[in-house]
PDB file of all heavy atoms in Angstrom:
ATOM      1  N   SER A   1       7.544  -3.527   4.285  1.00  0.00           N
ATOM      2  CA  SER A   1       6.422  -3.953   3.474  1.00  0.00           C
ATOM      3  C   SER A   1       5.442  -2.838   3.108  1.00  0.00           C
ATOM      4  O   SER A   1       4.908  -2.656   2.009  1.00  0.00           O
ATOM      5  CB  SER A   1       5.655  -5.017   4.125  1.00  0.00           C
ATOM      6  OG  SER A   1       6.475  -6.130   4.574  1.00  0.00           O
ATOM      7  N   VAL A   2       5.164  -1.942   4.033  1.00  0.00           N
ATOM      8  CA  VAL A   2       4.295  -0.749   3.891  1.00  0.00           C
ATOM      9  C   VAL A   2       4.865   0.157   2.694  1.00  0.00           C
ATOM     10  O   VAL A   2       4.170   0.469   1.813  1.00  0.00           O
ATOM     11  CB  VAL A   2       4.013  -0.053   5.163  1.00  0.00           C
ATOM     12  CG1 VAL A   2       3.260   1.231   4.807  1.00  0.00           C
ATOM     13  CG2 VAL A   2       3.203  -0.833   6.150  1.00  0.00           C
ATOM     14  N   VAL A   3       6.097   0.420   2.827  1.00  0.00           N
ATOM     15  CA  VAL A   3       6.853   1.262   1.954  1.00  0.00           C
ATOM     16  C   VAL A   3       6.790   0.764   0.546  1.00  0.00           C
ATOM     17  O   VAL A   3       6.479   1.237  -0.375  1.00  0.00           O
ATOM     18  CB  VAL A   3       8.173   1.711   2.452  1.00  0.00           C
ATOM     19  CG1 VAL A   3       8.955   2.484   1.397  1.00  0.00           C
ATOM     20  CG2 VAL A   3       8.082   2.591   3.648  1.00  0.00           C
ATOM     21  N   ALA A   4       7.218  -0.661   0.422  1.00  0.00           N
ATOM     22  CA  ALA A   4       7.339  -1.335  -0.895  1.00  0.00           C
ATOM     23  C   ALA A   4       5.965  -1.455  -1.397  1.00  0.00           C
ATOM     24  O   ALA A   4       5.794  -1.252  -2.784  1.00  0.00           O
ATOM     25  CB  ALA A   4       8.130  -2.635  -0.546  1.00  0.00           C
ATOM     26  N   THR A   5       4.934  -1.820  -0.769  1.00  0.00           N
ATOM     27  CA  THR A   5       3.568  -1.892  -1.330  1.00  0.00           C
ATOM     28  C   THR A   5       3.163  -0.652  -1.801  1.00  0.00           C
ATOM     29  O   THR A   5       2.544  -0.615  -2.948  1.00  0.00           O
ATOM     30  CB  THR A   5       2.699  -2.486  -0.242  1.00  0.00           C
ATOM     31  OG1 THR A   5       3.153  -3.658   0.288  1.00  0.00           O
ATOM     32  CG2 THR A   5       1.274  -2.602  -0.774  1.00  0.00           C
ATOM     33  N   ALA A   6       3.292   0.579  -1.181  1.00  0.00           N
ATOM     34  CA  ALA A   6       2.894   1.828  -1.697  1.00  0.00           C
ATOM     35  C   ALA A   6       3.575   2.087  -3.010  1.00  0.00           C
ATOM     36  O   ALA A   6       3.033   2.601  -3.979  1.00  0.00           O
ATOM     37  CB  ALA A   6       3.201   2.849  -0.638  1.00  0.00           C
ATOM     38  N   LYS A   7       4.795   1.837  -3.066  1.00  0.00           N
ATOM     39  CA  LYS A   7       5.624   2.016  -4.222  1.00  0.00           C
ATOM     40  C   LYS A   7       5.114   1.165  -5.400  1.00  0.00           C
ATOM     41  O   LYS A   7       4.817   1.709  -6.611  1.00  0.00           O
ATOM     42  CB  LYS A   7       7.044   1.876  -4.047  1.00  0.00           C
ATOM     43  CG  LYS A   7       8.005   2.289  -5.151  1.00  0.00           C
ATOM     44  CD  LYS A   7       8.106   3.824  -5.238  1.00  0.00           C
ATOM     45  CE  LYS A   7       9.144   4.130  -6.164  1.00  0.00           C
ATOM     46  NZ  LYS A   7       9.290   5.531  -6.388  1.00  0.00           N
ATOM     47  N   HIS A   8       4.943  -0.050  -5.119  1.00  0.00           N
ATOM     48  CA  HIS A   8       4.515  -0.978  -6.322  1.00  0.00           C
ATOM     49  C   HIS A   8       3.091  -0.865  -6.624  1.00  0.00           C
ATOM     50  O   HIS A   8       2.792  -1.083  -7.835  1.00  0.00           O
ATOM     51  CB  HIS A   8       4.929  -2.381  -5.794  1.00  0.00           C
ATOM     52  CG  HIS A   8       6.315  -2.867  -6.009  1.00  0.00           C
ATOM     53  ND1 HIS A   8       6.895  -3.142  -7.221  1.00  0.00           N
ATOM     54  CD2 HIS A   8       7.312  -2.918  -5.131  1.00  0.00           C
ATOM     55  CE1 HIS A   8       8.102  -3.478  -7.163  1.00  0.00           C
ATOM     56  NE2 HIS A   8       8.458  -3.217  -5.879  1.00  0.00           N
ATOM     57  N   ARG A   9       2.240  -0.323  -5.730  1.00  0.00           N
ATOM     58  CA  ARG A   9       0.871  -0.046  -6.149  1.00  0.00           C
ATOM     59  C   ARG A   9       0.784   0.888  -7.204  1.00  0.00           C
ATOM     60  O   ARG A   9      -0.126   0.921  -8.105  1.00  0.00           O
ATOM     61  CB  ARG A   9       0.064   0.350  -4.835  1.00  0.00           C
ATOM     62  CG  ARG A   9      -1.423   0.314  -5.297  1.00  0.00           C
ATOM     63  CD  ARG A   9      -2.277   0.313  -4.037  1.00  0.00           C
ATOM     64  NE  ARG A   9      -3.589   0.256  -4.414  1.00  0.00           N
ATOM     65  CZ  ARG A   9      -4.651   0.640  -3.690  1.00  0.00           C
ATOM     66  NH1 ARG A   9      -4.374   0.967  -2.451  1.00  0.00           N
ATOM     67  NH2 ARG A   9      -5.892   0.498  -4.166  1.00  0.00           N
ATOM     68  N   LYS A  10       1.671   1.941  -7.264  1.00  0.00           N
ATOM     69  CA  LYS A  10       1.728   2.993  -8.207  1.00  0.00           C
ATOM     70  C   LYS A  10       2.007   2.359  -9.579  1.00  0.00           C
ATOM     71  O   LYS A  10       1.505   2.819 -10.633  1.00  0.00           O
ATOM     72  CB  LYS A  10       2.757   4.009  -7.918  1.00  0.00           C
ATOM     73  CG  LYS A  10       2.371   4.952  -6.761  1.00  0.00           C
ATOM     74  CD  LYS A  10       3.565   5.951  -6.576  1.00  0.00           C
ATOM     75  CE  LYS A  10       3.320   6.732  -5.358  1.00  0.00           C
ATOM     76  NZ  LYS A  10       4.479   7.659  -5.089  1.00  0.00           N
ATOM     77  N   TYR A  11       2.732   1.372  -9.580  1.00  0.00           N
ATOM     78  CA  TYR A  11       3.074   0.711 -10.896  1.00  0.00           C
ATOM     79  C   TYR A  11       2.119  -0.440 -11.241  1.00  0.00           C
ATOM     80  O   TYR A  11       2.251  -0.976 -12.315  1.00  0.00           O
ATOM     81  CB  TYR A  11       4.565   0.173 -10.802  1.00  0.00           C
ATOM     82  CG  TYR A  11       5.636   1.055 -10.577  1.00  0.00           C
ATOM     83  CD1 TYR A  11       6.479   0.969  -9.471  1.00  0.00           C
ATOM     84  CD2 TYR A  11       5.630   2.253 -11.401  1.00  0.00           C
ATOM     85  CE1 TYR A  11       7.524   1.883  -9.310  1.00  0.00           C
ATOM     86  CE2 TYR A  11       6.667   3.073 -11.151  1.00  0.00           C
ATOM     87  CZ  TYR A  11       7.608   3.018 -10.129  1.00  0.00           C
ATOM     88  OH  TYR A  11       8.616   3.902  -9.920  1.00  0.00           O
ATOM     89  N   GLY A  12       1.080  -0.568 -10.373  1.00  0.00           N
ATOM     90  CA  GLY A  12       0.125  -1.705 -10.773  1.00  0.00           C
ATOM     91  C   GLY A  12       0.629  -3.175 -10.487  1.00  0.00           C
ATOM     92  O   GLY A  12       0.083  -4.138 -11.028  1.00  0.00           O
ATOM     93  N   ASN A  13       1.677  -3.248  -9.649  1.00  0.00           N
ATOM     94  CA  ASN A  13       2.146  -4.652  -9.366  1.00  0.00           C
ATOM     95  C   ASN A  13       1.611  -5.200  -8.054  1.00  0.00           C
ATOM     96  O   ASN A  13       2.209  -6.303  -7.630  1.00  0.00           O
ATOM     97  CB  ASN A  13       3.630  -4.460  -9.236  1.00  0.00           C
ATOM     98  CG  ASN A  13       4.381  -4.038 -10.401  1.00  0.00           C
ATOM     99  OD1 ASN A  13       3.960  -4.256 -11.537  1.00  0.00           O
ATOM    100  ND2 ASN A  13       5.577  -3.357 -10.318  1.00  0.00           N
ATOM    101  N   VAL A  14       0.522  -4.727  -7.601  1.00  0.00           N
ATOM    102  CA  VAL A  14      -0.043  -5.303  -6.247  1.00  0.00           C
ATOM    103  C   VAL A  14      -1.270  -6.036  -6.486  1.00  0.00           C
ATOM    104  O   VAL A  14      -2.204  -5.448  -7.070  1.00  0.00           O
ATOM    105  CB  VAL A  14      -0.245  -4.140  -5.257  1.00  0.00           C
ATOM    106  CG1 VAL A  14      -0.741  -4.757  -3.979  1.00  0.00           C
ATOM    107  CG2 VAL A  14       1.024  -3.427  -4.877  1.00  0.00           C
ATOM    108  N   ASP A  15      -1.272  -7.278  -5.979  1.00  0.00           N
ATOM    109  CA  ASP A  15      -2.500  -8.078  -6.113  1.00  0.00           C
ATOM    110  C   ASP A  15      -3.207  -7.963  -4.694  1.00  0.00           C
ATOM    111  O   ASP A  15      -2.692  -8.361  -3.726  1.00  0.00           O
ATOM    112  CB  ASP A  15      -2.089  -9.522  -6.444  1.00  0.00           C
ATOM    113  CG  ASP A  15      -3.294 -10.453  -6.441  1.00  0.00           C
ATOM    114  OD1 ASP A  15      -4.505  -9.987  -6.338  1.00  0.00           O
ATOM    115  OD2 ASP A  15      -3.131 -11.588  -6.697  1.00  0.00           O
ATOM    116  N   MET A  16      -4.245  -7.137  -4.823  1.00  0.00           N
ATOM    117  CA  MET A  16      -4.994  -6.872  -3.523  1.00  0.00           C
ATOM    118  C   MET A  16      -5.545  -8.057  -2.801  1.00  0.00           C
ATOM    119  O   MET A  16      -5.544  -8.260  -1.584  1.00  0.00           O
ATOM    120  CB  MET A  16      -6.116  -5.800  -3.877  1.00  0.00           C
ATOM    121  CG  MET A  16      -5.559  -4.468  -4.281  1.00  0.00           C
ATOM    122  SD  MET A  16      -4.502  -3.834  -3.040  1.00  0.00           S
ATOM    123  CE  MET A  16      -5.448  -3.216  -1.758  1.00  0.00           C
ATOM    124  N   ARG A  17      -6.255  -8.955  -3.620  1.00  0.00           N
ATOM    125  CA  ARG A  17      -6.568 -10.280  -3.078  1.00  0.00           C
ATOM    126  C   ARG A  17      -5.458 -10.977  -2.310  1.00  0.00           C
ATOM    127  O   ARG A  17      -5.764 -11.508  -1.172  1.00  0.00           O
ATOM    128  CB  ARG A  17      -7.230 -11.181  -4.083  1.00  0.00           C
ATOM    129  CG  ARG A  17      -8.746 -10.912  -4.622  1.00  0.00           C
ATOM    130  CD  ARG A  17      -9.222 -11.805  -5.305  1.00  0.00           C
ATOM    131  NE  ARG A  17      -8.242 -12.577  -6.147  1.00  0.00           N
ATOM    132  CZ  ARG A  17      -8.534 -13.476  -7.076  1.00  0.00           C
ATOM    133  NH1 ARG A  17      -9.847 -13.757  -7.370  1.00  0.00           N
ATOM    134  NH2 ARG A  17      -7.489 -14.129  -7.739  1.00  0.00           N
ATOM    135  N   LEU A  18      -4.359 -11.192  -2.954  1.00  0.00           N
ATOM    136  CA  LEU A  18      -3.278 -11.924  -2.195  1.00  0.00           C
ATOM    137  C   LEU A  18      -2.838 -11.063  -0.895  1.00  0.00           C
ATOM    138  O   LEU A  18      -2.514 -11.645   0.010  1.00  0.00           O
ATOM    139  CB  LEU A  18      -2.116 -12.095  -3.243  1.00  0.00           C
ATOM    140  CG  LEU A  18      -0.848 -12.703  -2.603  1.00  0.00           C
ATOM    141  CD1 LEU A  18      -1.247 -14.197  -2.178  1.00  0.00           C
ATOM    142  CD2 LEU A  18       0.238 -12.904  -3.628  1.00  0.00           C
ATOM    143  N   GLY A  19      -2.852  -9.806  -1.062  1.00  0.00           N
ATOM    144  CA  GLY A  19      -2.344  -8.945   0.049  1.00  0.00           C
ATOM    145  C   GLY A  19      -3.252  -9.154   1.278  1.00  0.00           C
ATOM    146  O   GLY A  19      -2.936  -9.229   2.316  1.00  0.00           O
ATOM    147  N   LEU A  20      -4.641  -9.200   0.879  1.00  0.00           N
ATOM    148  CA  LEU A  20      -5.602  -9.440   1.980  1.00  0.00           C
ATOM    149  C   LEU A  20      -5.416 -10.777   2.661  1.00  0.00           C
ATOM    150  O   LEU A  20      -5.518 -10.921   3.833  1.00  0.00           O
ATOM    151  CB  LEU A  20      -7.043  -9.280   1.444  1.00  0.00           C
ATOM    152  CG  LEU A  20      -7.249  -7.761   1.112  1.00  0.00           C
ATOM    153  CD1 LEU A  20      -8.751  -7.700   0.452  1.00  0.00           C
ATOM    154  CD2 LEU A  20      -7.281  -6.826   2.331  1.00  0.00           C
ATOM    155  N   LEU A  21      -5.011 -11.780   1.911  1.00  0.00           N
ATOM    156  CA  LEU A  21      -4.884 -13.115   2.380  1.00  0.00           C
ATOM    157  C   LEU A  21      -3.528 -13.119   3.218  1.00  0.00           C
ATOM    158  O   LEU A  21      -3.582 -13.833   4.263  1.00  0.00           O
ATOM    159  CB  LEU A  21      -4.757 -14.129   1.311  1.00  0.00           C
ATOM    160  CG  LEU A  21      -6.058 -14.604   0.532  1.00  0.00           C
ATOM    161  CD1 LEU A  21      -5.739 -15.409  -0.664  1.00  0.00           C
ATOM    162  CD2 LEU A  21      -7.030 -15.161   1.464  1.00  0.00           C
ATOM    163  N   MET A  22      -2.740 -12.369   2.942  1.00  0.00           N
ATOM    164  CA  MET A  22      -1.349 -12.340   3.773  1.00  0.00           C
ATOM    165  C   MET A  22      -1.557 -11.584   5.016  1.00  0.00           C
ATOM    166  O   MET A  22      -0.557 -11.618   5.877  1.00  0.00           O
ATOM    167  CB  MET A  22      -0.263 -11.718   2.871  1.00  0.00           C
ATOM    168  CG  MET A  22       0.118 -12.588   1.754  1.00  0.00           C
ATOM    169  SD  MET A  22       1.309 -12.017   0.679  1.00  0.00           S
ATOM    170  CE  MET A  22       2.696 -12.054   1.680  1.00  0.00           C
ATOM    171  N   ILE A  23      -2.564 -10.852   5.276  1.00  0.00           N
ATOM    172  CA  ILE A  23      -2.854 -10.293   6.584  1.00  0.00           C
ATOM    173  C   ILE A  23      -2.805 -11.333   7.713  1.00  0.00           C
ATOM    174  O   ILE A  23      -2.536 -11.102   8.784  1.00  0.00           O
ATOM    175  CB  ILE A  23      -4.084  -9.460   6.559  1.00  0.00           C
ATOM    176  CG1 ILE A  23      -3.807  -8.220   5.567  1.00  0.00           C
ATOM    177  CG2 ILE A  23      -4.496  -8.959   7.860  1.00  0.00           C
ATOM    178  CD1 ILE A  23      -4.950  -7.205   5.390  1.00  0.00           C
ATOM    179  N   VAL A  24      -3.130 -12.562   7.370  1.00  0.00           N
ATOM    180  CA  VAL A  24      -3.208 -13.510   8.361  1.00  0.00           C
ATOM    181  C   VAL A  24      -1.762 -13.852   8.952  1.00  0.00           C
ATOM    182  O   VAL A  24      -1.747 -14.394  10.113  1.00  0.00           O
ATOM    183  CB  VAL A  24      -3.789 -14.876   7.722  1.00  0.00           C
ATOM    184  CG1 VAL A  24      -3.779 -16.065   8.762  1.00  0.00           C
ATOM    185  CG2 VAL A  24      -5.190 -14.592   7.162  1.00  0.00           C
ATOM    186  N   GLY A  25      -0.688 -13.501   8.432  1.00  0.00           N
ATOM    187  CA  GLY A  25       0.656 -13.843   8.781  1.00  0.00           C
ATOM    188  C   GLY A  25       1.006 -13.280  10.156  1.00  0.00           C
ATOM    189  O   GLY A  25       1.446 -13.907  11.007  1.00  0.00           O
ATOM    190  N   PRO A  26       0.867 -11.931  10.336  1.00  0.00           N
ATOM    191  CA  PRO A  26       1.377 -11.459  11.614  1.00  0.00           C
ATOM    192  C   PRO A  26       0.774 -12.023  12.834  1.00  0.00           C
ATOM    193  O   PRO A  26       1.491 -12.141  13.873  1.00  0.00           O
ATOM    194  CB  PRO A  26       0.983  -9.874  11.546  1.00  0.00           C
ATOM    195  CG  PRO A  26       0.969  -9.765   9.920  1.00  0.00           C
ATOM    196  CD  PRO A  26       0.510 -10.955   9.496  1.00  0.00           C
ATOM    197  N   PRO A  27      -0.578 -12.262  12.948  1.00  0.00           N
ATOM    198  CA  PRO A  27      -1.088 -12.895  14.253  1.00  0.00           C
ATOM    199  C   PRO A  27      -0.335 -14.327  14.502  1.00  0.00           C
ATOM    200  O   PRO A  27      -0.146 -14.706  15.597  1.00  0.00           O
ATOM    201  CB  PRO A  27      -2.574 -13.123  14.009  1.00  0.00           C
ATOM    202  CG  PRO A  27      -2.859 -12.023  12.982  1.00  0.00           C
ATOM    203  CD  PRO A  27      -1.629 -11.949  12.101  1.00  0.00           C
ATOM    204  N   SER A  28      -0.054 -15.039  13.410  1.00  0.00           N
ATOM    205  CA  SER A  28       0.571 -16.226  13.553  1.00  0.00           C
ATOM    206  C   SER A  28       1.990 -16.066  14.150  1.00  0.00           C
ATOM    207  O   SER A  28       2.490 -16.732  14.860  1.00  0.00           O
ATOM    208  CB  SER A  28       0.623 -17.160  12.314  1.00  0.00           C
ATOM    209  OG  SER A  28       1.470 -16.467  11.396  1.00  0.00           O
ATOM    210  N   GLY A  29       2.625 -14.946  13.769  1.00  0.00           N
ATOM    211  CA  GLY A  29       3.928 -14.580  14.309  1.00  0.00           C
ATOM    212  C   GLY A  29       4.005 -14.350  15.815  1.00  0.00           C
ATOM    213  O   GLY A  29       4.797 -14.666  16.528  1.00  0.00           O
ATOM    214  N   SER A  30       2.917 -13.612  16.241  1.00  0.00           N
ATOM    215  CA  SER A  30       2.787 -13.344  17.655  1.00  0.00           C
ATOM    216  C   SER A  30       2.547 -14.684  18.454  1.00  0.00           C
ATOM    217  O   SER A  30       3.118 -14.822  19.569  1.00  0.00           O
ATOM    218  CB  SER A  30       1.671 -12.419  17.966  1.00  0.00           C
ATOM    219  OG  SER A  30       0.409 -12.820  17.614  1.00  0.00           O
ATOM    220  N   ARG A  31       1.860 -15.622  17.840  1.00  0.00           N
ATOM    221  CA  ARG A  31       1.634 -17.002  18.557  1.00  0.00           C
ATOM    222  C   ARG A  31       2.987 -17.683  18.553  1.00  0.00           C
ATOM    223  O   ARG A  31       3.265 -18.487  19.670  1.00  0.00           O
ATOM    224  CB  ARG A  31       0.567 -17.763  17.754  1.00  0.00           C
ATOM    225  CG  ARG A  31      -0.798 -17.302  18.146  1.00  0.00           C
ATOM    226  CD  ARG A  31      -1.777 -18.291  17.471  1.00  0.00           C
ATOM    227  NE  ARG A  31      -2.602 -17.341  16.634  1.00  0.00           N
ATOM    228  CZ  ARG A  31      -2.800 -17.445  15.368  1.00  0.00           C
ATOM    229  NH1 ARG A  31      -2.183 -18.428  14.706  1.00  0.00           N
ATOM    230  NH2 ARG A  31      -3.584 -16.587  14.848  1.00  0.00           N
ATOM    231  N   ARG A  32       3.833 -17.537  17.511  1.00  0.00           N
ATOM    232  CA  ARG A  32       5.056 -18.201  17.539  1.00  0.00           C
ATOM    233  C   ARG A  32       5.955 -17.609  18.668  1.00  0.00           C
ATOM    234  O   ARG A  32       6.735 -18.460  19.454  1.00  0.00           O
ATOM    235  CB  ARG A  32       5.890 -18.012  16.209  1.00  0.00           C
ATOM    236  CG  ARG A  32       5.348 -18.868  15.219  1.00  0.00           C
ATOM    237  CD  ARG A  32       6.170 -18.832  13.934  1.00  0.00           C
ATOM    238  NE  ARG A  32       6.168 -17.590  13.378  1.00  0.00           N
ATOM    239  CZ  ARG A  32       5.724 -17.216  12.230  1.00  0.00           C
ATOM    240  NH1 ARG A  32       5.103 -18.110  11.506  1.00  0.00           N
ATOM    241  NH2 ARG A  32       5.593 -15.985  11.854  1.00  0.00           N
ATOM    242  N   ALA A  33       5.926 -16.305  18.915  1.00  0.00           N
ATOM    243  CA  ALA A  33       6.750 -15.730  19.882  1.00  0.00           C
ATOM    244  C   ALA A  33       6.294 -16.118  21.274  1.00  0.00           C
ATOM    245  O   ALA A  33       7.034 -16.458  22.191  1.00  0.00           O
ATOM    246  CB  ALA A  33       6.574 -14.203  19.780  1.00  0.00           C
ATOM    247  N   THR A  34       4.979 -16.348  21.418  1.00  0.00           N
ATOM    248  CA  THR A  34       4.317 -16.859  22.694  1.00  0.00           C
ATOM    249  C   THR A  34       4.813 -18.168  23.000  1.00  0.00           C
ATOM    250  O   THR A  34       5.161 -18.523  24.073  1.00  0.00           O
ATOM    251  CB  THR A  34       2.787 -16.733  22.701  1.00  0.00           C
ATOM    252  OG1 THR A  34       2.443 -15.371  22.505  1.00  0.00           O
ATOM    253  CG2 THR A  34       2.252 -17.177  24.087  1.00  0.00           C
ATOM    254  N   THR A  35       4.795 -19.071  21.937  1.00  0.00           N
ATOM    255  CA  THR A  35       5.174 -20.435  22.113  1.00  0.00           C
ATOM    256  C   THR A  35       6.685 -20.624  22.392  1.00  0.00           C
ATOM    257  O   THR A  35       7.085 -21.299  23.232  1.00  0.00           O
ATOM    258  CB  THR A  35       4.850 -21.317  20.758  1.00  0.00           C
ATOM    259  OG1 THR A  35       3.483 -21.034  20.519  1.00  0.00           O
ATOM    260  CG2 THR A  35       5.304 -22.595  20.887  1.00  0.00           C
ATOM    261  N   ILE A  36       7.506 -19.635  21.819  1.00  0.00           N
ATOM    262  CA  ILE A  36       8.928 -19.851  22.072  1.00  0.00           C
ATOM    263  C   ILE A  36       9.293 -19.406  23.456  1.00  0.00           C
ATOM    264  O   ILE A  36      10.037 -19.967  24.207  1.00  0.00           O
ATOM    265  CB  ILE A  36       9.754 -18.783  21.143  1.00  0.00           C
ATOM    266  CG1 ILE A  36       9.655 -19.266  19.662  1.00  0.00           C
ATOM    267  CG2 ILE A  36      11.111 -18.612  21.537  1.00  0.00           C
ATOM    268  CD1 ILE A  36      10.541 -20.492  19.258  1.00  0.00           C
TER     269      ILE A  36
END
């Protein structure tokens, strides 16, 4: 994701607002691992 975002940002294909909203995802993934 980091590599792809850096590449696509050069082309103007990155929506920064959506990206900031998607930061919520990884903490929920760690909660899933704890639940599993």
